[in-house]
Amino acid sequence: MQSRGKARFRGSEAANGLAMISPTALYATLLLAAPLVTIFLYSFWTDGYLTIVHEFTLQNYIDVWSNEAFRAVMLRSLGVSLAVTAVTVLTAFPVAYFVSFHVHPSKKSLWLFLITIPFWTSYLIRVFLWKVILGYNGVVNSGLMGLGITDEPVTFILYNVNSVIITLAHAYAPFAILPIFVALEKIDRSFLEAGRDLGESPFMTFIRVTLPLAMPGVISSVLIVFIPTIGDYVTPLLVGGPEGRMVANLIELSYKKLDNYPMGSAIAISAMGIVVAVSLLFLFLNRRYLKGGK
Amino acid sequence: MTLAADKPTMIEFKDVHKYYGDYHALRGITATIKAGEFFSLLGPSGCGKTTLLRTIAGFEGISSGAVMIDGKNMEGVPANVRPTNMVFQSYAIFPHLTVAENVGFGLRKDPRSKAEKAAAVAEALEMVGLKGYGARAAHALSGGQRQRVALARALILKPKVLLLDEPLSALDKKMREQMQVELIKLQRQVGITFILVTHDQEEALVMSDRIAVMFEGEIAQLADPETLYRRPNSRKVADFIGTMNFLPAQILSEHGGKVEVDAQGFGRLTLNADQVSSAPGGTGASIGFRPETLTILFDGQTATDRESMATVEEVVYYGDMTYYDIKLDGTTEAMRLSMRNVFGRPVLDIGTRARVAWAPGALVLFR
């Protein structure tokens, strides 16, 4: 009986399915789930001087959330990533719209290819290049002074929040353009003609037809930009200066400089919780659009 | 079918040309469509029928000529202010809106109150048989329902002209036949000029007051369905609409409108002027006839007009009809002949010799 049941399972669709996803599942478990669970566990333990005290406690979270510095950095991270998201998506939309609606179909792939050019260079190098562009003796400042617009270098664009926003917005532009482009491409052009046919001007057709139908792409862009930027580590470190530090830098500080793994883990989990909450808020607000269409 | 000759002109094409780069899509279209008419543009794909329809809607500009709607030249008038509405081939039902929002889409600038507009939407939905569907999500509708929503959405704006771009091509056969009848009734009810684009000749014949048959950017023939079927003006039109048999013929003499011919299988005939196609076809003259205009005579039946002998070459039984391929004596090619099956009458076997009755009035001469 039992062996027959086993044989049936082995030949069944479910078994085939499991066999097929097992490499991916293994990969996901080892490289994603396991580290996450480790950090989650660490966040409830305590840092003994040389060991970790394996006792459940909420003290780390209480410490983190009552810490003024953490709250300030967390708020700044939120503010920066929201600003980056807004700037990126707002500038990405016209680009995606142009490529989708005004570029000849045979040239679209070329345009998308060109848009990905910034990715040909390593992220680190791109951030360094922004330092060169925005710096005290950088391209922007020498340009401004050369043209006589300013007498001395402007300083509000380096080693602060502004430079972090500029650098991140540039880095994530293609990520924002592509989902919006895909959403715009999916819009049947007869919808736009129908909008015109039913008496709406091109602008009102855009507002009433194109924009709502492109919303799924816009929301994807928002999430794709928002989620990684809030945890970005390299950019604030290199161009943020002291007042541009973000939450990832704080986590690094706890782990490495302070050698307090549980505290770092608690900050990481807290930041993750906030990202999840904000993302869910986006999804909830736009559920209507995501639900529409097929 | 109504005679529209006395009705005012709604749409007028004056020598309309349209080029896409080097491609000459419309080649001098001149035609008028009467108010309240059910008019069809019929032709194979790529003949320019959809392009012509889109020049009325304002989605395509024209290279030269003029498109007039209700006496006004439409040059430079954008689609959103033209007195036309369209039912798109894909229906173009907005997926992000409900059925009622779709139907009421064009009412934004309507000065009526919200309640009055809602009532108008409900009324339009009822007219197309979708009463109570208003709150449904558009993407949950079936093909037939989408089409009804598209109709309601266009008709609620009370356009002077309703444009239908292959509206039935996405439906299955049963649904299509049902919608054909519904569209005819709807058109009679609202009295709006309907212009239908279709590649389905049967659909055009069933629904239209008049049909323009188009080939390669030109109107080959513009006539009512019966004329188009009985008296096609060229072999091409005859071939496109229904089945037409052709037999070689020789023109012997022409005088006073009458034409004397010697046709293979039929012998010497005198045809009236209206039986002679105007458009020259090229490779010699031929006599054409529809499959149902020749009748096989069974035992005891006598021909009312003429009679020939033939051999049955092929039999295709369809239940209500039987199609015979027969070879008239003195001809080399088999002709298609259709007979309605009557109870008690046998279906002939291949190889049977049969008497065939015909009338000279049913023949058309193509030159």
Side-chain angles (χ1 to χ4, degrees):
Chain A
M1 268 308 270
Q2 205 186 2
S3 69
R4 208 195 295 161
K6 222 185 212 168
R8 198 184 298 152
F9 175 75
R10 209 177 292 155
S12 76
E13 231 174 89
N16 281 337
L18 282 177
M20 238 157 50
I21 63 158
S22 58
T24 327
L26 196 71
Y27 170 87
T29 312
L30 280 180
L31 295 175
L32 290 169
L36 211 60
V37 168
T38 313
I39 288 176
F40 190 70
L41 289 176
Y42 261 93
S43 73
F44 294 106
W45 291 336
T46 316
D47 184 43
Y49 178 56
L50 286 171
T51 57
I52 301 289
V53 183
H54 295 193
E55 251 172 54
F56 179 83
T57 172
L58 286 173
Q59 194 56 44
N60 296 317
Y61 286 98
I62 294 166
D63 288 349
V64 167
W65 285 96
S66 59
N67 185 329
E68 193 97 354
F70 167 76
R71 289 209 300 261
V73 169
M74 194 66 233
L75 269 179
R76 182 191 300 154
S77 298
L78 261 178
V80 167
S81 56
L82 284 175
V84 169
T85 306
V87 169
T88 312
V89 173
L90 286 178
T91 49
F93 197 97
V95 177
Y97 186 89
F98 177 80
V99 176
S100 179
F101 282 84
H102 296 290
V103 171
H104 192 269
S106 64
K107 300 241 161 59
K108 280 181 185 175
S109 330
L110 177 71
W111 271 79
L112 293 181
F113 177 69
L114 292 176
I115 285 168
T116 59
I117 279 184
F119 284 103
W120 296 8
T121 334
S122 107
Y123 181 48
L124 204 60
I125 291 172
R126 265 180 289 149
V127 179
F128 267 115
L129 286 175
W130 273 107
K131 260 173 112 156
V132 174
I133 294 169
L134 301 173
Y136 198 75
N137 294 314
V139 177
V140 172
N141 274 325
S142 43
L144 285 176
M145 287 191 293
L147 290 170
I149 296 170
T150 53
D151 294 332
E152 53 187 42
V154 292
T155 53
F156 68 91
I157 48 169
L158 193 61
Y159 298 126
N160 57 23
V161 171
N162 294 337
S163 54
V164 176
I165 292 173
I166 293 170
T167 310
L168 285 175
H170 170 252
Y172 281 91
F175 289 116
I177 292 169
L178 292 177
I180 297 174
F181 170 78
V182 170
L184 289 171
E185 281 291 286
K186 264 176 33 189
I187 298 176
D188 188 336
R189 297 308 189 250
S190 68
F191 289 145
L192 311 183
E193 287 185 344
R196 297 297 307 281
D197 189 62
L198 294 167
E200 293 295 11
S201 62
F203 176 73
M204 281 310 292
T205 302
F206 174 80
I207 297 291
R208 293 186 72 192
V209 181
T210 315
L211 201 55
L213 290 176
M215 265 338 254
V218 173
I219 291 155
S220 309
S221 292
V222 164
L223 293 176
I224 284 174
V225 176
F226 174 77
I227 293 172
T229 48
I230 199 169
D232 196 89
Y233 166 73
V234 179
T235 308
L237 189 74
L238 290 179
V239 299
E243 51 164 309
R245 291 276 188 268
M246 284 166 60
V247 74
N249 307 105
L250 200 64
I251 296 169
E252 190 246 354
L253 189 78
S254 298
Y255 268 96
K256 290 164 96 178
K257 302 265 163 51
L258 306 178
D259 197 28
N260 189 341
Y261 283 29
M263 183 61 77
S265 301
I267 299 173
I269 296 291
S270 301
M272 226 168 90
I274 287 168
V275 172
V276 169
V278 176
S279 304
L280 285 179
L281 192 71
F282 274 126
L283 286 177
F284 177 76
L285 284 176
N286 295 289
R287 207 173 42 169
R288 195 177 120 89
Y289 294 120
L290 289 177
K291 211 167 51 177
K294 282 191 287 186
Chain B
M1 235 167 282
T2 51
L3 272 175
D6 50 339
K7 288 183 183 162
T9 297
M10 178 53 78
I11 289 186
E12 193 174 358
F13 299 108
K14 289 180 178 170
D15 195 27
V16 172
H17 287 266
K18 167 82 184 172
Y19 288 90
Y20 292 105
D22 287 339
Y23 180 62
H24 201 169
L26 297 176
R27 308 179 177 206
I29 302 288
T30 299
T32 55
I33 299 170
K34 306 278 181 196
E37 196 172 20
F38 201 129
F39 192 92
S40 291
L41 297 169
L42 173 67
S45 58
C47 73
K49 56 190 192 299
T50 298
T51 307
L52 190 60
L53 189 80
R54 290 167 61 83
T55 64
I56 306 173
F59 299 135
E60 301 282 355
I62 54 175
S63 307
S64 70
V67 177
M68 319 276 287
I69 302 180
D70 206 14
K72 287 189 201 77
N73 193 335
M74 285 293 129
E75 196 181 335
V77 180
N80 47 324
V81 292
R82 293 198 183 191
T84 60
N85 283 112
M86 187 141 163
V87 173
F88 291 83
Q89 187 171 14
S90 62
Y91 309 141
I93 302 299
F94 302 121
H96 59 295
L97 302 176
T98 64
V99 168
E101 284 168 336
N102 262 287
V103 174
F105 189 92
L107 297 178
R108 185 177 64 88
K109 285 177 277 189
D110 192 306
R112 284 181 285 178
S113 75
K114 244 187 182 169
E116 283 172 314
K117 286 188 201 176
V121 168
E123 192 189 324
L125 280 173
E126 195 174 342
M127 184 170 66
V128 296
L130 286 181
K131 193 180 176 186
Y133 277 68
R136 296 221 187 166
H139 57 87
L141 297 176
S142 72
Q145 290 168 337
R146 272 160 201 259
Q147 160 158 66
R148 287 158 195 266
V149 173
L151 270 170
R153 186 175 71 177
L155 287 173
I156 198 172
L157 301 173
K158 302 201 164 38
K160 287 180 178 162
V161 182
L162 184 74
L163 308 169
L164 303 118
D165 184 8
E166 306 237 9
L168 307 177
S169 59
L171 304 178
D172 61 63
K173 194 172 186 299
K174 261 225 164 84
M175 191 75 204
R176 192 157 61 225
E177 283 167 2
Q178 187 192 335
M179 280 311 294
Q180 286 175 359
V181 177
E182 282 191 37
L183 271 176
I184 298 168
K185 283 186 182 161
L186 197 63
Q187 196 264 344
R188 241 174 249 155
Q189 185 191 333
V190 297
I192 292 171
T193 311
F194 276 34
I195 303 178
L196 173 82
V197 158
T198 181
H199 64 266
D200 182 343
Q201 44 98 12
E202 206 177 278
E203 189 172 295
L205 291 178
V206 168
M207 298 171 77
S208 324
D209 293 323
R210 287 196 303 153
I211 301 168
V213 182
M214 291 182 69
F215 295 115
E216 287 157 11
E218 285 176 288
I219 293 179
Q221 187 172 6
L222 198 167
D224 61 276
E226 206 185 345
T227 307
L228 221 47
Y229 188 76
R230 296 274 168 234
R231 300 278 183 257
N233 69 357
S234 65
R235 280 189 74 137
K236 230 174 158 184
V237 172
D239 257 340
F240 192 73
I241 293 174
T243 308
M244 179 74 91
N245 294 298
F246 296 101
L247 279 170
Q250 234 181 332
I251 298 172
L252 300 173
S253 65
E254 281 183 67
H255 41 77
K258 301 227 177 208
V259 181
E260 208 189 347
V261 292
D262 184 8
Q264 229 184 63
F266 295 110
R268 276 175 175 249
L269 298 162
T270 306
L271 301 175
N272 292 323
D274 73 320
Q275 285 171 267
V276 182
S277 77
S278 49
T283 55
S286 54
I287 283 285
F289 61 95
R290 297 291 185 190
E292 69 280 5
T293 55
L294 261 63
T295 318
I296 293 174
L297 293 171
F298 289 85
D299 294 340
Q301 289 180 311
T302 48
T304 50
D305 206 328
R306 309 283 183 92
E307 193 179 310
S308 298
M309 286 304 287
T311 311
V312 175
E313 300 257 301
E314 188 62 76
V315 181
V316 184
Y317 180 74
Y318 265 90
D320 61 334
M321 304 284 288
T322 305
Y323 290 97
Y324 294 99
D325 285 347
I326 57 145
K327 204 181 266 179
L328 288 166
D329 287 2
T331 63
T332 50
E333 258 180 88
M335 300 288 113
R336 173 56 59 93
L337 199 149
S338 69
M339 291 288 289
R340 184 153 288 286
N341 288 332
V342 177
F343 180 74
R345 182 191 286 170
V347 173
L348 298 180
D349 290 323
I350 294 171
T352 312
R353 293 285 291 163
R355 293 183 295 133
V356 175
W358 52 277
L363 307 178
V364 186
L365 175 69
F366 298 96
R367 38 169 126 220

